[in-house]
Amino acid sequence: MKKIWHVMLSALIVLPLILGSFGASVSAATTDPALEKIQKKGTLVVGLSADYAPYEFHKTLKGSEYKDAGVIASGDDHIVGFDVSLAQTVAKQLGVKLQIKELGFDALLGAMKTGKIDMIISGMSDTPEREKEVDFSKPYLTAPQTMLIQKKDASKYTTNLSTWKGAKIAAQKQTIQEQAAQGVSGAQTVSLQKFTDEILQLSQGTVQGVVAEEPIAKAYAQQNKALEVIYPKFSIDAGASAIAMPKNSPALQAQVNEVVSKVTTNGQLKEWQKEAGALMFVGKNESFWSKYGHYFISGTWITLLLAFIAVIMGAILGTLLALMKLSKNWILKIISNVYIEFLRGTPLLVQVFLVFFGSQVFGLGLDAFASGALAMGLNSGAYVAEIVRSGINSVDNGQTEAARSLGLSPKKTMQKVVLPQAVKTILPALGNEFVTVIKESSVISVVGVGELMFQAGVVQGASFKPFLPLVIVSLIYFVLTFGLSRILNKIEKVWA
């Protein structure tokens, strides 16, 4: 009897612990930090690279003419495609609003790992390397890997991969297509950031083939009759597109998998694919400029704004750094020298990524435009510092000695005597820096700032014309830089 009571007593003690642990496991299965973060802010931020029709691409939506394609909108530029439709459904499942954030494809994983975005829905394939960094949903689309070639080369480059020995094959960086291209023995893989760059090189004959998933390849072949789709036997036969989420987010993953299972079994995804295909051909008869001119205008204003902010910030920071470098205080000298040498010795692209991702790590949460403008301003400051320093050094030492002999302090001497004379030397070089910054702003497109080069990529993806947008952008850059140079020459004559 005693033994029975001991067993019952032990059970009474252990049972609450078992139930408690069971409750905790249930709770853990229904939520996780990533899901809580999304629900708390009420917005799902999805990252994508909108140059990949029909997955995602830009389109100007103009009311009722789009109703047949399943989209009702008016006015503005929109990012559309079946990936966007999938993102809308996931947001609805989570009970939050959807926000799309466009980035370069190779910036997407970094943006999610630093908290800039919550999820990636951009035709991304689930690979073992990526699985180490992020979680993936079930695949929502499996498509064979194909090769886009020029029709005139169809007899030379075939589905037999041995015919590709010595040829150049283009593929997008950090994709399963890049792995497929690298598996072609004897061929050279050309890895590019944007798919439109691959098509441009194929059209120009710089590369002989472009590896692409079937929906993408067919879309470009439909638009450009000089291209043809072939089906080589790659070592990687098919790409399985899935949704990427932060690591260790089982509850979020379960919610997303529920959506994927539903839309792939009830035929909804196929409907979205048809709608995206129809959108690609809407407005075919409109002129190029009427359809895409506003992209170039918008890009021009943003480019000028970026350059203006960067030069103003650079002028202030550069002057301060120059004075620190000329100071007798060795600590200020070291700080200035280290800053200038580091910023001048590293590429602007690296600095942009450091600011964009680093701001999130330090809790600043700067958006793409602010990050880009800050990076350009910090970079410009290093170059302006040397411009200002050389301008100050160009003023004859006798001017400083004369001012000091009249009783002016070092600070007043610099303000009243040296700097006003140095301005004549500094101004032309500062104007050249403004021109340089306008051109360098093209680097900022990698983090999704809509400046000129970014808009050129948008138009390339939407129009399937890889070359014409670049011609237009080059002319706009020339007008901007040439016009600014003439204005600065006039100002220099006034100051002279």
Side-chain angles (χ1 to χ4, degrees), residues 192-447:
L192 299 169
Q193 183 186 350
K194 296 169 66 178
F195 188 76
T196 49
D197 294 337
E198 300 169 46
I199 299 298
L200 178 58
Q201 292 210 18
L202 177 62
S203 301
Q204 299 298 314
T206 310
V207 299
Q208 286 70 54
V210 169
V211 183
E213 289 183 349
E214 186 180 53
I216 312 297
K218 282 185 173 180
Y220 273 87
Q222 279 181 292
Q223 292 285 336
N224 187 343
K225 301 305 179 185
L227 302 180
E228 183 176 320
V229 182
I230 63 172
Y231 293 78
K233 297 294 182 183
F234 293 111
S235 56
I236 299 172
D237 292 332
S241 298
I243 298 173
M245 293 157 280
K247 200 72 178 168
N248 301 318
S249 51
L252 179 60
Q253 190 178 40
Q255 294 262 31
V256 173
N257 280 337
E258 186 179 331
V259 173
V260 171
S261 296
K262 184 178 178 181
V263 301
T264 52
T265 55
N266 67 7
Q268 185 67 67
L269 184 65
K270 289 184 179 179
E271 286 298 316
W272 291 337
Q273 288 177 278
K274 289 179 183 178
E275 291 167 5
L279 274 174
M280 287 164 53
F281 296 98
V282 170
K284 273 181 75 175
N285 298 324
E286 294 178 45
S287 70
F288 185 86
W289 186 257
S290 66
K291 283 197 291 185
Y292 306 114
H294 66 281
Y295 291 107
F296 297 108
I297 294 169
S298 171
T300 301
W301 283 116
I302 292 174
T303 295
L304 287 172
L305 182 59
L306 275 171
F308 180 75
I309 293 172
V311 168
I312 294 298
M313 181 179 171
I316 296 169
L317 179 61
T319 302
L320 178 62
L321 288 167
L323 294 176
M324 289 170 64
K325 193 167 183 177
L326 294 169
S327 169
K328 293 180 180 179
N329 187 315
W330 65 271
I331 296 177
L332 295 179
K333 277 178 175 282
I334 289 174
I335 293 172
S336 178
N337 276 314
V338 169
Y339 181 93
I340 291 169
E341 293 306 320
F342 179 78
L343 270 293
R344 293 177 70 190
T346 55
L348 177 58
L349 178 62
V350 173
Q351 295 163 21
V352 170
F353 278 129
L354 285 174
V355 174
F356 182 67
F357 296 132
S359 66
Q360 194 71 25
V361 172
F362 290 107
L364 299 177
L366 298 179
D367 62 18
F369 181 87
S371 298
L374 179 59
M376 287 179 63
L378 294 173
N379 179 272
S380 180
Y383 289 92
V384 171
E386 291 299 282
I387 292 171
V388 173
R389 185 185 64 82
S390 61
I392 291 172
N393 287 338
S394 69
V395 178
D396 190 88
N397 285 333
Q399 300 289 318
T400 302
E401 292 169 2
R404 295 302 305 278
S405 67
L406 291 173
L408 292 178
S409 66
K411 184 179 178 180
K412 288 291 183 183
T413 300
M414 183 62 70
Q415 287 179 347
K416 303 293 184 181
V417 178
V418 177
L419 280 178
Q421 295 182 68
V423 166
K424 293 181 180 179
T425 306
I426 293 169
L427 191 60
L430 197 60
N432 289 335
E433 174 66 10
F434 195 1
V435 171
T436 301
V437 167
I438 286 176
K439 292 183 288 185
E440 285 184 342
S441 65
S442 60
V443 173
I444 312 300
S445 63
V446 294
V447 293

Side-chain angles (χ1 to χ4, degrees), residues 96-129:
V96 296
K97 294 179 180 178
L98 174 66
Q99 179 186 342
I100 297 292
K101 186 167 285 189
E102 186 176 3
L103 299 163
F105 190 84
D106 53 357
L108 289 172
L109 286 172
M112 190 166 70
K113 292 199 68 172
T114 54
K116 289 281 186 183
I117 57 177
D118 302 315
M119 200 175 284
I120 300 169
I121 307 181
S122 191
M124 182 172 281
S125 299
D126 181 355
T127 65
E129 292 77 16

